[in-house]
Amino acid sequence: MLNVGVIGCGGMGRDHIQRITERIQGAQVTAVSDVFEEGAKKAAGIAGGAKIYTDGKALIHDPDVDAVLIVSPGFAHVDDLLEAIKAGKRVFCEKPLCTTADDCRKVMDAEVQSGKHLIQLGFMRRYHKGYNQIKDAIATGEYGEPLIMHCTHRNPEVGTNYNTPMAVHDTVIHEIDLCHWLVDDDYDSVQVIMPKVTKYSHSELKDPQIMLMRTKSGICIDVECFVNCKFGYDINCEVVCEDGALKMGTPMAPSVRKNAQCSTEITTDCFVLFKDAYDAEIQNWVDCAAAGVIEGPSTWDGYLAAVTADALVKAQESGEIEKVVTVEKPEFYK
Ligand SMILES: NC(=O)C1=CN([C@@H]2O[C@H](COP(=O)(O)OP(=O)(O)OC[C@H]3O[C@@H](n4cnc5c(N)ncnc54)[C@H](O)[C@@H]3O)[C@@H](O)[C@H]2O)C=CC1
Ligand SMILES: O=C1[C@H](O)[C@H](O)[C@@H](O)[C@H](O)[C@H]1O
């Protein structure tokens, strides 16, 4: 049985604690930590009783914790990642790995130095059945070369703490990882276009945004990021190829006809829409623990996403096309 400690007991943290407690085979939550003790106490109850901490480092060094789930806000990941590597403990880190490429480099260097693959990253779309079907279909060559991708990432609404750069490193970070993974092609450059701002936004948030990414082979990707769309959690991705197009999107629900109406439910949050993908990624992480391997997205994937995100944040300000420049991939991650 893998004894798991969870750092960060907010919406995502509680969702992961519930899945480990109720659905995941081979693991249990034995400790939880949150800077707000009340949040940790609530999470401990979901786990059916777990040690309560308000300091992630103390949880990491608890001998009753075999592995750590980092589910605090992105800006807080780097310190606990470095501490877990120091302690030699396996980590599942929710996206983003870190909110800057520089911090990701620190984590990458520490993991390489440790000589052990310890970190799996929470890019759960790679565990979604539909996206895997698209990736496999493209790989057959039956649809020809991918040329263009169209994505929407729409949230019903976000809090007033959510700002313009968060649209990149907190939200579109999913498409940054998903799109290059689907077509197996790295990024060359990015650009951001700012449409008219919705009345539902605030002074620190330009919303919606159109983010453009070009891959090294010339595939052009547009991502509409609209985090106050009001009508639902609307996630779509279409890959347009030479001999066909493949689309995965919401609503992923039945179309209902009644009283001369036709309607289809759109979910309102990621916890419902991607429940199976979260279950699959956490189960894979637990299963790999026994073998001491990482099969899912790695620290390198987190670094690649962060470099692209940094370029997009720069492009938000400049309005120009910004290059995506990474370091050479270390042998350790090949
Ligand atoms: N994969 C996905 O689809 C999703 C991933 N996430 C990720 O999960 C993480 C948490 O997001 P949410 O739960 O939505 O945020 P949240 O704001 O609901 O919860 C964050 C929790 O972390 C606590 N916290 C803050 N600083 C901390 C620290 N230094 N140590 C321990 N706890 C700390 C806060 O008190 C709060 O309880 C983020 O990295 C976010 O990007 C969130 C939603 C969906
Ligand atoms: O990771 C997530 C969720 O998956 C949502 O898709 C985003 O819109 C949210 O902002 C982010 O935290």
Side-chain angles (χ1 to χ4, degrees):
M1 182 64 79
L2 188 71
N3 293 327
V4 177
V6 179
I7 300 174
C9 300
M12 189 77 254
R14 292 193 299 272
D15 195 60
H16 282 326
I17 290 168
Q18 186 175 7
R19 75 172 29 84
I20 292 172
T21 304
E22 295 177 359
R23 296 192 295 277
I24 300 301
Q25 302 301 312
Q28 62 185 354
V29 175
T30 52
V32 294
S33 175
D34 198 290
V35 289
F36 289 120
E37 191 174 14
E38 281 314 304
K41 285 179 180 173
K42 182 177 175 184
I46 297 170
K51 282 187 192 175
I52 292 166
Y53 290 93
T54 56
D55 172 15
K57 288 176 177 54
L59 176 144
I60 288 166
H61 290 284
D62 183 332
D64 292 334
V65 170
D66 303 322
V68 180
L69 224 65
I70 296 178
V71 207
S72 47
F75 63 80
H77 293 177
V78 56
D79 290 344
D80 288 331
L81 283 162
L82 293 172
E83 195 68 26
I85 291 168
K86 207 184 290 180
K89 300 218 172 161
R90 293 174 64 79
V91 178
F92 177 91
C93 184
E94 261 300 347
K95 45 56 63 180
L97 181 72
C98 302
T99 51
T100 66
D102 285 347
D103 280 349
C104 289
R105 281 289 305 274
K106 290 174 190 168
V107 175
M108 199 158 66
D109 293 345
E111 189 178 34
V112 171
Q113 188 67 35
S114 80
K116 288 183 277 185
H117 290 272
L118 294 172
I119 299 168
Q120 178 175 326
L121 194 48
F123 284 134
M124 81 290 178
R125 301 222 195 144
R126 294 192 186 201
Y127 289 83
H128 184 275
K129 184 180 174 190
Y131 291 121
N132 275 280
Q133 287 170 328
I134 289 180
K135 181 175 174 66
D136 294 345
I138 292 169
T140 66
E142 183 183 341
Y143 302 91
E145 287 299 310
L147 306 172
I148 303 169
M149 298 173 79
H150 303 300
C151 301
T152 70
H153 193 142
R154 298 168 177 156
N155 285 353
E157 58 187 13
V158 291
T160 51
N161 65 322
Y162 189 103
N163 60 30
T164 299
M166 285 177 74
V168 176
H169 58 70
D170 191 69
T171 297
V172 173
I173 200 83
H174 285 289
E175 281 76 18
I176 290 171
D177 178 68
L178 174 71
C179 292
H180 87 91
W181 174 75
L182 284 176
V183 295
D184 195 19
D185 193 2
D186 286 336
Y187 293 120
D188 177 72
S189 61
V190 300
Q191 191 176 6
V192 180
I193 296 170
M194 298 294 188
K196 182 193 300 186
V197 178
T198 174
K199 65 185 176 186
Y200 298 112
S201 194
H202 55 81
S203 60
E204 297 305 307
L205 173 59
K206 290 178 182 171
D207 183 43
Q209 299 179 38
I210 298 171
M211 299 182 197
L212 306 174
M213 302 182 287
R214 177 190 290 269
T215 71
K216 293 192 186 308
S217 76
I219 300 168
C220 287
I221 302 160
D222 59 80
V223 184
E224 175 209 313
C225 179
F226 187 9
V227 294
N228 288 290
C229 79
K230 295 302 178 187
F231 63 78
Y233 183 58
D234 192 25
I235 305 295
N236 298 283
C237 176
E238 180 176 23
V239 185
V240 182
C241 304
E242 291 169 313
D243 299 310
L246 303 113
K247 182 173 181 180
M248 176 49 56
T250 46
M252 297 177 194
S255 169
V256 177
R257 285 168 167 75
K258 185 175 180 182
N259 301 334
Q261 294 284 322
C262 178
S263 67
T264 307
E265 181 201 355
I266 294 175
T267 56
T268 53
D269 70 46
C270 53
F271 306 123
V272 172
L273 187 63
F274 290 112
K275 174 176 173 287
D276 293 345
Y278 293 131
D279 285 0
E281 70 174 348
I282 298 293
Q283 188 64 64
N284 176 244
W285 177 65
V286 170
D287 293 348
C288 286
V293 297
I294 296 287
E295 288 177 351
S298 69
T299 306
W300 173 252
D301 296 307
Y303 164 75
L304 278 186
V307 171
T308 310
D310 279 358
L312 278 164
V313 170
K314 186 177 178 185
Q316 285 177 327
E317 280 298 317
S318 70
E320 302 296 323
I321 295 174
E322 301 292 349
K323 295 293 278 184
V324 176
V325 182
T326 70
V327 298
E328 187 69 25
K329 187 173 187 177
E331 277 302 316
F332 184 75
Y333 293 107
K334 286 180 179 170

